[in-house]
Every structure is written in C-alpha cells, then in structure tokens.
Amino acid sequence: MTSSTPPPGPAGLVLEAEDTKLVVLARAARLRAYTPAGQPAEGAAVRDTDGRTYAAATVAHARPELVTSALRAAVVAAASSGARRFEAAAVVTDAAEPGADDLALLAEFGAGVPVFLAGPDGVARDRVSS
C-alpha cells in the first residue's frame, strides 16, 4: 500500500540569496512608510550593477499626484548617489503589480531589470521586468 502526499502549498518564488536580501530590505523599508491618511504602504529596494543597494518606502501626501512610491524613491536615491544601471529590484506590497510609472522610471536605467514582488509577509510571489 502506498501513501500519497498532498502537493505542497504555494511557497512563493525561489530567489537567489542576493535577491532575498532585496526583499528583506524592502520589507524593512515598508515599516518606515509615511502614510498618515492610511494610504497603502510599500517598501522597495534596488541593487545597482556595482552591488550597492538602496531601500525606500512610500511617502504619501494629501494630494495623490504628489505621492512618492517606494520603487520610485529607491531608484531616485540610487540615481542621486550615482547609480545608472540596476541588476534587480524588489517591492513589498499588497498590490498585484507595481505601478506602470514605477516600472517606466526603472526602465529609463535599463530594460529587463527583474522586479520581485513580495507580500507584507516577505514571501516573493511574482516577478516582472522593467
């Protein structure tokens, strides 16, 4: 008599160690988000081609057009420090995907940059590209 084991539940994407670090940094950044009116909080981290990492969180504002997303903030922090190319990014969010404007900004520094999406629990669930 053989026993069958149930299939494993969804465990998320399997990431390389350096990409897992990005998710950890993004998750920590999310805790520092400024969302006084209860706007969605996100955290993001990017790694440049020199291996340096930059993390940032959502900065909300009463006027929606002035909200700075976590991914845009991380890219801006990196670019203002001299980064011009990126290897990877991670976003911790409740959203199903990053905003189109966020991906467009990242794509200005190179198309095809992998962006790992993780939930607030830190489990990577999807991958998109700039």
Side-chain angles (χ1 to χ4, degrees):
M1 191 174 183
T2 62
S3 65
S4 64
T5 56
L13 298 176
V14 176
L15 302 179
E16 298 290 327
E18 291 300 312
D19 298 330
T20 298
K21 288 179 190 177
L22 284 179
V23 171
V24 169
L25 289 170
R27 189 173 184 211
R30 182 177 181 267
L31 297 174
R32 298 186 301 271
Y34 175 72
T35 57
Q39 299 94 331
E42 294 182 338
V46 295
R47 183 176 60 247
D48 70 13
T49 55
D50 291 330
R52 296 175 296 188
T53 57
Y54 305 84
T58 305
V59 178
H61 191 276
R63 291 176 40 197
E65 69 274 16
L66 296 179
V67 171
T68 302
S69 75
L71 183 55
R72 279 183 279 163
V75 169
V76 167
S80 66
S81 294
R84 296 296 180 259
R85 307 280 302 160
F86 297 100
E87 291 181 348
V91 179
V92 173
T93 180
D94 286 319
E97 58 189 22
D101 290 343
D102 298 348
L103 291 177
L105 177 62
L106 183 60
E108 286 197 27
F109 294 89
V113 176
V115 179
F116 301 101
L117 296 175
D121 59 359
V123 175
R125 64 177 186 266
D126 200 4
R127 175 187 164 167
V128 297
S129 294
S130 66

